[in-house]
């Protein structure tokens, strides 16, 4: 058997132009590089970043035994190509992926710190009606939502911010049919629906799903959540389709779930009748699989190494 309560929403993968610039940005947000994989023959490298402070959710844990990791994929040489550009998923062509989200202790101080460092914003706290969230832009113009772990009214006069308390809270993707996507992520992937935000006036809903994670004080103190954004009516349009990020133009790549037993988990997915991008037995890499969600987004399946060792 495989126990879905032990699954983790391990990481979200983004393609980047210049890893040095991107890593510098996320390190400024308090993240640390916890793993790196280089493939010189194939001319690409993977960088894994996470919150790893003593106050973080899983300090010192093996990279497969965590939630809330960013995987940066760098194709060697792209940093020197003036024509290389990724899509951030928020405009056509390539609309699908929406953003990453970092939850911070004191949102006003955190945003001021980012602005003073010269980083750009898609939306500042003072923009628009929603004065409790902001969207920073990373070096590739991916949107990074900034939310507060504490009430923004209570932190407006606080001048300090501790990046060691930050969390990579969620990844947002847009979905065509909320019912189908919710069924997939709950019944097939084993996630739990934590919160629903209905916005009938603006004709969209937000759904937040995740795996069990200790006893966080609030949703904003969690890591590894998945936010599904559904715009009313898209499910009725036979020609409507979101971009999975892996065809041209490229950007976002996948989310990844680490599991307790890779073989048994994949056998269960097979029984559930999932669509596969790559089975364990396909190709040379026998230690990863890719499932397709109802919108064609890739969901990588990997082994949680700590749980593998405990099963021996």
């Amino acid at each position: 058997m495989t126990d879905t309560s032990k699954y983790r929403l391990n990481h979200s993968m983004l393609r980047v132009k210049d890893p040095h610039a991107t890593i510098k940005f996320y390190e400024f947000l308090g993240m640390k590089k916890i793993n790196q994989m280089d493939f010189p023959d194939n001319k690409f490298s993977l960088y894994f970043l996470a919150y790893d402070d003593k106050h973080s959710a899983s300090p010192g844990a093996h990279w497969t035994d965590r939630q809330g990791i960013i995987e940066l994929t760098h194709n060697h040489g792209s940093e020197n190509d003036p024509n290389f550009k990724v899509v951030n998923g928020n405009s056509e062509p390539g609309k699908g992926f929406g953003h990453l989200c970092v939850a911070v202790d004191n949102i006003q101080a955190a945003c001021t710190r980012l602005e003073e460092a010269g980083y750009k914003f898609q939306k500042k706290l003072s923009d628009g009606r929603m004065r409790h969230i902001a969207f920073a832009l990373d070096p590739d113009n991916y949107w990074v939502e900034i939310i507060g772990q504490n009430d923004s009214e209570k932190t407006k006069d606080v001048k300090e911010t501790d990046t060691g308390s930050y969390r990579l809270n969620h990844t947002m993707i847009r979905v065509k049919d909320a019912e189908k996507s919710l069924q997939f992520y709950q019944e097939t992937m084993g996630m739990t629906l934590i919160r629903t935000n209905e916005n009938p006036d603006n004709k969209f809903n937000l759904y937040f799903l995740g795996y069990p994670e200790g006893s966080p004080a609030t949703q904003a103190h969690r890591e590894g959540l998945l936010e599904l954004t559904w715009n009313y009516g898209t499910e009725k349009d036979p020609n409507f389709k979101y971009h999975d990020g892996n065809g041209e133009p490229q950007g976002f790549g996948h989310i990844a779930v680490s599991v307790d037993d890779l073989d048994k988990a994949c056998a269960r997915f097979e029984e559930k009748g999932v669509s596969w991008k790559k089975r364990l037995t396909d190709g040379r890499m026998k230690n990863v699989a890719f499932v397709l969600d109802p919108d064609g987004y890739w969901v990588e399946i990997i082994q949680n190494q700590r749980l593998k060792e405990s099963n021996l």
Side-chain angles (χ1 to χ4, degrees), residues 62-255:
H62 190 275
W63 74 271
T64 61
D65 190 32
R66 294 172 177 262
Q67 305 204 98
I69 295 175
I70 302 174
E71 176 189 353
L72 306 177
T73 295
H74 171 233
N75 293 299
H76 298 171
S78 61
E79 69 278 17
N80 299 316
D81 182 353
N83 297 315
F84 182 89
K85 185 179 181 181
V86 297
V87 293
N88 68 13
N90 290 298
S91 60
E92 298 294 357
K95 193 171 186 177
F97 168 74
H99 60 259
L100 301 176
C101 175
V102 173
V104 303
D105 53 355
N106 305 314
I107 191 168
Q108 293 89 348
C111 289
T112 297
R113 178 175 174 270
L114 276 166
E115 191 169 359
E116 290 178 346
Y119 289 113
K120 298 178 181 179
F121 283 77
Q122 176 66 27
K123 178 199 175 298
K124 295 182 179 179
L125 275 179
S126 57
D127 296 339
R129 296 180 180 179
M130 300 181 72
R131 301 299 177 94
H132 61 288
I133 61 170
F135 284 88
L137 295 173
D138 85 354
D140 286 285
N141 287 322
Y142 290 115
W143 294 12
V144 181
E145 183 179 14
I146 310 296
I147 64 172
Q149 296 169 356
N150 301 302
D151 187 336
S152 59
E153 282 298 311
K154 296 179 180 179
T155 61
K156 61 183 179 181
D157 296 321
V158 179
K159 304 301 181 184
E160 302 297 323
T161 182
D162 176 12
T163 60
S165 68
Y166 291 11
R167 300 282 188 271
L168 187 65
N169 181 255
H170 68 255
T171 296
M172 186 276 264
I173 55 175
R174 298 174 177 89
V175 299
K176 175 177 179 173
D177 188 322
E179 185 176 341
K180 289 181 179 179
S181 293
L182 287 169
Q183 182 178 12
F184 172 80
Y185 282 106
Q186 290 179 96
E187 296 182 10
T188 302
M189 299 308 301
M191 292 184 178
T192 297
L193 180 62
I194 296 167
R195 183 163 64 94
T196 299
N197 287 355
E198 297 185 351
N199 297 273
D201 291 343
N202 296 305
K203 299 182 180 180
F204 73 90
N205 288 356
L206 309 177
Y207 305 92
F208 294 86
L209 301 103
Y211 293 112
E213 184 193 359
S215 301
T218 67
Q219 182 178 318
H221 287 83
R222 294 186 61 141
E223 287 194 317
L225 298 179
L226 181 66
E227 176 187 358
L228 305 179
T229 295
W230 169 57
N231 292 291
Y232 298 178
T234 53
E235 75 282 5
K236 299 175 183 177
D237 182 350
N239 298 315
F240 188 90
K241 182 175 172 56
Y242 283 119
H243 184 57
D244 64 16
N246 292 300
E248 294 295 341
Q250 291 187 320
F252 167 78
H254 60 261
I255 59 172

